[in-house]
Amino acid sequence: TCDTGDEQTTAAVHLKEAAATIVERLKDVAACEGEDAVFECRLSRETAQDAQWFLGDVPLQSNEMNEIRAQGTRHSLILRKVTLEDCGSITFKVGQHSSVA
């Protein structure tokens, strides 16, 4: 606000969060049936943007079979006690960016 006594004008500042990019991409993982499979990637910055993990086309959530973590710029997915049905593409998406292993 600028106030001259006789007149006043006001403006606002609006910020958009800069988009995070993937700087460390997913790597392929080989595991034996019954073992855990761990996937990790790193972003260029911490972000409030929603990050999402997929097995094939199915979105994953944290539960007793999948553990999803976000610690700073590092995002990880742990598939617990994998079975043959877990074979396939793992995708990590944030904003317009994605990585597949």
Side-chain angles (χ1 to χ4, degrees):
T1 301
C2 178
D3 190 342
T4 64
D6 296 333
E7 294 183 40
Q8 186 180 54
T9 185
T10 302
V13 175
H14 300 277
L15 298 175
K16 282 185 158 182
E17 180 181 26
T21 60
I22 300 172
V23 295
E24 188 178 308
R25 304 189 67 76
L26 294 176
K27 294 178 178 67
D28 292 342
V29 172
C32 292
E33 196 168 11
E35 294 180 345
D36 292 349
V38 180
F39 297 88
E40 291 186 331
C41 63
R42 192 169 54 86
L43 302 179
S44 59
R45 61 189 301 280
E46 289 186 40
T47 180
Q49 290 179 304
D50 289 334
Q52 182 67 56
W53 291 91
F54 295 85
L55 174 57
D57 294 332
V58 178
L60 298 176
Q61 298 178 1
S62 274
N63 56 36
E64 64 279 350
M65 297 307 295
N66 312 310
E67 183 177 343
I68 296 173
R69 294 183 196 165
Q71 297 173 321
T73 60
R74 185 159 304 278
H75 290 253
S76 61
L77 166 68
I78 302 170
L79 298 179
R80 301 267 183 224
K81 299 179 183 172
V82 294
T83 65
L84 293 176
E85 291 79 34
D86 295 319
C87 289
S89 296
I90 295 292
T91 304
F92 175 79
K93 293 183 181 180
V94 62
Q96 301 290 325
H97 305 282
S98 65
S99 180
V100 180

